[in-house]
Amino acid sequence: MTTNDDTGLAADLQTLDREWRSIISSPDEPRSTMNVIEYGLGEQRRAEVYVNRLLRYLLDPAEPHGMGADFLEAFLQGLPATAKFDEDTLDLSDVRVKEQVPFDDRRDPDASTGYADLVLDIPNEWFLLVELKFSAKETGTEFYSRATHVDGVAVDEYGSGQYYLFLHQHDRPQASSDTFANQSWRTFVSEVLDGFLTENALRYPQRTTTQLHDLRDDLQSITNMTTNSASDQEKIALYLEHVDAIEDVQAVFDDAWESYATVWGRDVVQLLTDTEPEVHRLEGEHYPEVSVSRTDRDEERWIFRANGGDWQHVFKYGWYRHETSLEKLADRAEDSNDLRIGFYHRMERNRDLATREQKLKFSFRNMGSNPATFRDIYAEQFYDCRREFEELLADTEGLVTGNKLTLIEATYDIPVDSHEDYFDAYTAALHEAFVDLICTEPELIELMGAIYEEAVAEFS
């Protein structure tokens, strides 16, 4: 039965949607460079990639833009005082400029590799790590500030200095790590880019000058320095007018998401047993389980570890072993001293991907909590069979990653349009992943397990 509160909420949201669409609708304007190459202004990640690549090119003195190290020098001289950059800028010809540079904390065996947006360096002398952000959410700076290695080189091998810069929206949270100096895009444009263009634009090739102007114009657009500010004020007013409805809807979805994180295993098991004749429900000791019948192979027992957290696991019984006794486990060891492989999906890290882009990322992993020796053994043996894995994955959505921990990664559509309930659609995507990589690929599962047994034997 629909209540008066529900009717009022629906009307409120319809009004919100109608007014929001009128705000974002605007007459067609000439397309920016970023838009032309299909990096839409509305998508933060694509904006970061575009600016990252163009900045890397323009800053690199080895690139054929005709500026040499001039723009690089202006960039370094325009760093905020809090960066404490104290290096000679008279000769910058040896500076390297790289994007998506790996950073590792080798003191923490469970830490994943981070990839910095830009790194400027002179080997054995100094490096400057630059993180570019166009949204309110800040991630990574704490990790980068404690990382021990940059691109495989120990941080302390840069004897002259290590510097960190966080370029961010003018009115958004700054870096969470005190190691990073903060500079807004507005400051960068007004104090570095504008002055550089005014003084030097006529000296460089026309194409380079155009690229510098494009960078300036696109930064102004994506950071709301131009006419977008007016629409932002309208959006703020719209939010304040409908804040109760927005918060109500958000709270309901948050509660539903948290609840689903504990029951998705049950729902997937039900869907599998309803649709796949070779799959049968089992009474799980800790979590929902199924058996998968195989032709000419032993029946397999699969466990769906729906634990309500970020990491949600699907694993074959026998793929969790106690580190010392080698006992087969149906859940983590009480002391967490275990050896594990399995499939997983992440419900916090990939929440935006699942809700905004309606994509499920489902992966096979050599678990980061495994002892370092075991991780190395399993990864080495896995990649010794890389060609065989790639052949077995050819008819699936799975791809071999080349990473030591997450070895295979697959992405599936969450078919929201064909389900009335979002979480039914999420369950359907998990069902597709299980069928694609497990039910229909017995040889793939057998190879994963055989390597695991060999790795366990070598480790013990």
Side-chain angles (χ1 to χ4, degrees):
M1 181 177 68
T2 303
T3 66
N4 290 336
D5 287 345
D6 292 337
T7 302
L9 176 61
D12 221 13
L13 291 173
Q14 287 177 351
T15 302
L16 172 65
D17 181 68
R18 183 172 61 254
E19 294 179 0
W20 175 73
R21 291 181 184 279
S22 69
I23 291 173
I24 65 172
S25 298
S26 58
D28 289 340
E29 296 180 355
R31 298 171 66 190
S32 68
T33 303
M34 180 164 57
N35 185 269
V36 168
I37 62 174
E38 298 182 352
Y39 288 103
L41 299 184
E43 298 188 29
Q44 175 225 345
R45 179 61 189 142
R46 291 180 175 180
E48 287 177 9
V49 171
Y50 163 77
V51 174
N52 201 83
R53 290 178 177 173
L54 188 52
L55 260 182
R56 190 216 64 77
Y57 170 77
L58 294 171
L59 289 170
D60 192 343
E63 291 287 359
H65 42 57
M67 296 186 292
D70 293 350
F71 185 56
L72 172 61
E73 181 180 1
F75 178 80
L76 295 175
Q77 290 179 348
L79 291 172
T82 51
K84 299 179 181 178
F85 186 80
D86 187 26
E87 304 293 339
D88 185 4
T89 59
L90 293 178
D91 182 7
L92 298 172
S93 58
D94 291 335
V95 173
R96 304 182 303 181
V97 184
K98 296 181 286 186
E99 62 176 328
Q100 295 303 304
V101 179
F103 273 69
D104 300 286
D105 182 2
R106 297 191 180 176
R107 295 164 301 190
D108 181 358
D110 293 331
S112 300
T113 296
Y115 291 87
D117 292 330
L118 286 176
V119 171
L120 291 64
D121 80 336
I122 294 180
N124 301 317
E125 294 188 21
W126 60 265
F127 74 79
L128 168 65
L129 184 160
V130 185
E131 275 291 280
L132 318 178
K133 287 297 174 185
F134 296 99
S135 72
K137 188 175 182 181
E138 187 274 292
T139 57
T141 56
E142 291 286 357
F143 171 80
Y144 292 126
S145 64
R146 64 175 183 268
T148 61
H149 287 72
V150 48
D151 208 7
V153 178
V155 167
D156 55 16
E157 288 189 20
Y158 287 88
S160 181
Q162 303 96 38
Y163 308 97
Y164 302 82
L165 176 67
F166 188 72
L167 275 165
H168 63 92
Q169 289 275 55
H170 180 70
D171 56 348
R172 303 293 173 89
Q174 300 181 354
S176 58
S177 169
D178 293 337
T179 306
F180 279 74
N182 295 283
Q183 185 177 52
S184 72
W185 286 111
R186 182 171 297 176
T187 299
F188 170 72
V189 169
S190 63
E191 297 186 7
V192 178
L193 195 49
D194 279 349
F196 186 79
L197 278 167
T198 300
E199 294 180 18
N200 300 289
L202 297 179
R203 298 172 49 205
Y204 304 128
Q206 182 178 355
R207 177 173 293 177
T208 297
T209 301
T210 299
Q211 289 169 336
L212 288 166
H213 278 287
D214 282 343
L215 176 63
R216 178 186 184 278
D217 293 344
D218 285 328
L219 282 173
Q220 287 186 323
S221 294
I222 60 182
T223 56
N224 299 323
M225 294 183 212
T226 55
T227 56
N228 289 342
S229 298
S231 67
D232 280 356
Q233 292 303 314
E234 292 183 63
K235 291 174 186 176
I236 291 170
L238 189 61
Y239 170 81
L240 294 174
E241 182 180 351
H242 299 279
V243 63
D244 289 341
I246 294 169
E247 291 182 351
D248 186 15
V249 171
Q250 183 69 57
V252 169
F253 184 81
D254 288 346
D255 289 345
W257 182 269
E258 291 178 11
S259 175
Y260 182 72
T262 65
V263 301
W264 63 266
R266 176 203 66 192
D267 294 350
V268 175
V269 164
Q270 183 64 55
L271 184 56
L272 284 167
T273 55
D274 287 345
T275 58
E276 309 304 322
E278 73 275 24
V279 178
H280 306 281
R281 182 193 302 273
L282 297 175
E283 290 299 323
E285 180 181 355
H286 302 286
Y287 300 102
E289 298 184 12
V290 299
S291 65
V292 178
S293 300
R294 301 293 198 190
T295 304
D296 301 327
R297 286 181 172 85
D298 292 339
E299 189 173 74
E300 298 169 1
R301 173 184 169 190
W302 286 87
I303 300 169
F304 297 77
R305 190 169 178 263
N307 61 5
D310 181 18
W311 296 84
Q312 306 282 338
H313 294 270
V314 178
F315 64 97
K316 180 184 173 184
Y317 182 68
W319 285 3
Y320 278 25
R321 298 280 185 88
H322 194 279
E323 181 180 337
T324 52
S325 70
L326 301 186
E327 173 192 2
K328 293 182 180 180
L329 305 171
D331 194 11
R332 294 295 308 274
E334 289 186 6
D335 53 11
S336 296
N337 292 330
D338 41 29
L339 312 174
R340 301 184 298 145
I341 62 170
F343 294 92
Y344 75 94
H345 61 107
R346 297 186 65 175
M347 292 202 66
E348 289 306 320
R349 183 186 181 106
N350 293 330
R351 175 167 164 168
D352 281 352
L353 179 71
T355 54
R356 294 179 184 275
E357 299 185 35
Q358 297 169 9
K359 300 286 185 182
L360 168 72
K361 197 172 289 294
F362 191 79
S363 306
F364 175 72
R365 186 171 175 88
N366 173 18
M367 301 305 175
S369 61
N370 289 335
T373 302
F374 180 81
R375 291 200 309 265
D376 291 342
I377 292 170
Y378 190 85
E380 181 178 356
Q381 294 188 9
F382 179 94
Y383 284 110
D384 284 345
C385 299
R386 177 167 187 155
R387 180 170 297 179
E388 189 172 351
F389 274 111
E390 290 174 340
E391 290 174 354
L392 291 170
L393 291 166
D395 294 328
T396 75
E397 296 298 324
L399 297 171
V400 176
T401 66
N403 296 331
K404 182 183 292 187
L405 298 180
T406 295
L407 304 165
I408 296 171
E409 189 171 85
T411 304
Y412 300 89
D413 291 331
I414 298 176
V416 174
D417 291 342
S418 56
H419 292 79
E420 292 185 6
D421 183 272
Y422 171 80
F423 297 104
D424 287 345
Y426 198 114
T427 299
L430 285 169
H431 168 272
E432 181 184 358
F434 190 88
V435 171
D436 184 44
L437 293 174
I438 298 168
C439 287
T440 60
E441 297 297 332
E443 293 181 0
L444 174 68
I445 301 306
E446 184 175 41
L447 181 58
M448 290 172 172
I451 293 175
Y452 176 73
E453 297 297 335
E454 292 174 6
V456 170
E458 182 175 338
F459 175 78
S460 61

